[in-house]
Amino acid sequence: DRRDRHRLKNRDGSIRGDKSVMIQAPGEPLLDPESTVVDDRDDNWGETTTVVTGTSVDSISNEDLTRISKDLEDSLPLDCRRYISPVLGAILGLISVITPLAFLALPQLLWRDTLDPCGTPCEGLYISLAFKLLILLISTWALFLRPSRATLPRFFVFRCLLLALVFLFVASYWLFYGVRVLEPQETDYRGIVGYAASLVDALLFIQYLALVLLEVRHLQPAFCLKVVRTADGVSRFYDVGHLSIQRAGVWVLDQYYRDFPVYNPALINLPKSILTKKMSSFKVYNLEEENTNNSTGQSRAMIAAAARRRDNSHNEYYYEEAEVERRIRKRRARLVVAVEEAFTHIKRHQDEETATSSPKHPRELMDPREAAQAIFAPMARAMQKYLRATRQQSYHTMESIINYLQFCITHNMTPKAFLERYLSPGPTLQYLDNNRGRRWTLVSEEPVTAALRQGQVFSLKRLDFALVVKVMPLPFLDLAEEFIDPKSHKFVMKLQSETSV
């Protein structure tokens, strides 16, 4: 009676619309059979997946984890540290440029009447000083006044060294100027102008040193970096020069957004028919003493049957992949045909054409947005099914597809050009929705300011995956030369009775 009442209570709860969940035991697959099966009857655009685990009903999937990380990155405020170094560099550079002019102006303002006449030599020094300052300003603008593309966890050693060197030079020149010029009120103005010109020469040499350290030193390849994405195993190889760990990390991330395909967590799992297959590996015992031998034989038979089913899993995986590929090819063909037919209904209006083809059937002129919305309707269902089959529905919304269709119509692009964006997944940079930086965490056993060396391993982590970087030095090449005499290229024909020559 108690069991019957419990069944009736559960049945009434299901009728009222209560949510029922299936809790699986730990160690079993955590995906239900219908979590990623593509259903043709489901017309919801970009439907996400719900996963139920054995410890909590409110669990999240890999897709939800990726979406959460994206929302966190978008909500992060701008880091003020990225502006500290440029501001300090700009202030120090402004002081160093104004200092030579101040050296020339202070004697003219304080003791002008007692200065010795300089004449033509000073005018030549004025011209030289003006051109040197102009070259210094232009080269500083080209070398340093560029927007920062990354925020480093530690200070850039070479940049700090150059700033300290500039500060020491300017402070030393001001100290000598105060002791030898301001305090005794030096009357030799030609010497003062030469002193200011020597400071400009020193600044130009420091800028040449900055060009060598910051831009030239790392151009020659010295190491090979193997970059592996931990989630799906995609790897690339890159050649770099002498860089620190943090600068190598920034360089790797620049290449990652361009070369690596977009990370899709829905493609890293095995087919769900394999994951959700329940294989019982429990032994069954009978507590009755007289049937002990029979129960032992039954348990052994069940274990052997489970092992045979486990050995046949690779066949199921093979046929499941073949079925998925067949479904994708089918829906790809439907999408191509639908897009080709949709593009045949629009034609670019020419000024010399008449506005109407006939009095009975006038032609309606539309802007690119209206034309994109008009031809999107017949291809929408085929597009939705293909994106769901290839697990790309989270990267392409209906609004983004219409906007890209409008772009293709505006630039008179063909259907093949429109489909190129969806038939094959593009690089990660293609799916960034804004220009803000992405937050990464650099993990290294050594200080991030240390230079690269053989055998180093560091990683760049995000919430849902990481990039593991291994450093390998490029081999030293020993190239030898061998001379071949051009007269030695002579040949003799061997004639035999069996040959056809």
Side-chain angles (χ1 to χ4, degrees), residues 264-299:
N264 193 344
L267 297 178
I268 63 176
N269 295 323
L270 291 175
K272 303 306 174 287
S273 63
I274 307 298
L275 292 177
T276 57
K277 183 179 177 62
K278 296 182 179 180
M279 302 177 183
S280 177
S281 60
F282 296 97
K283 295 181 180 180
V284 180
Y285 297 93
N286 194 343
L287 298 179
E288 297 181 3
E289 295 180 358
E290 62 273 10
N291 295 330
T292 303
N293 296 330
N294 295 334
S295 62
T296 304
Q298 291 177 2
S299 63

Side-chain angles (χ1 to χ4, degrees), residues 330-348:
K330 182 178 180 181
R331 296 188 176 183
R332 175 191 177 107
R334 289 180 179 176
L335 176 62
V336 172
V337 173
V339 173
E340 291 282 353
E341 291 179 354
F343 268 72
T344 58
H345 295 293
I346 59 173
K347 182 181 179 182
R348 196 174 189 88

Side-chain angles (χ1 to χ4, degrees), residues 484-500:
I484 299 178
D485 189 3
K487 298 180 180 180
S488 63
H489 298 304
K490 298 183 182 298
F491 303 91
V492 178
M493 181 69 70
K494 293 183 179 181
L495 299 178
Q496 298 178 3
S497 59
E498 293 84 0
T499 59
S500 60

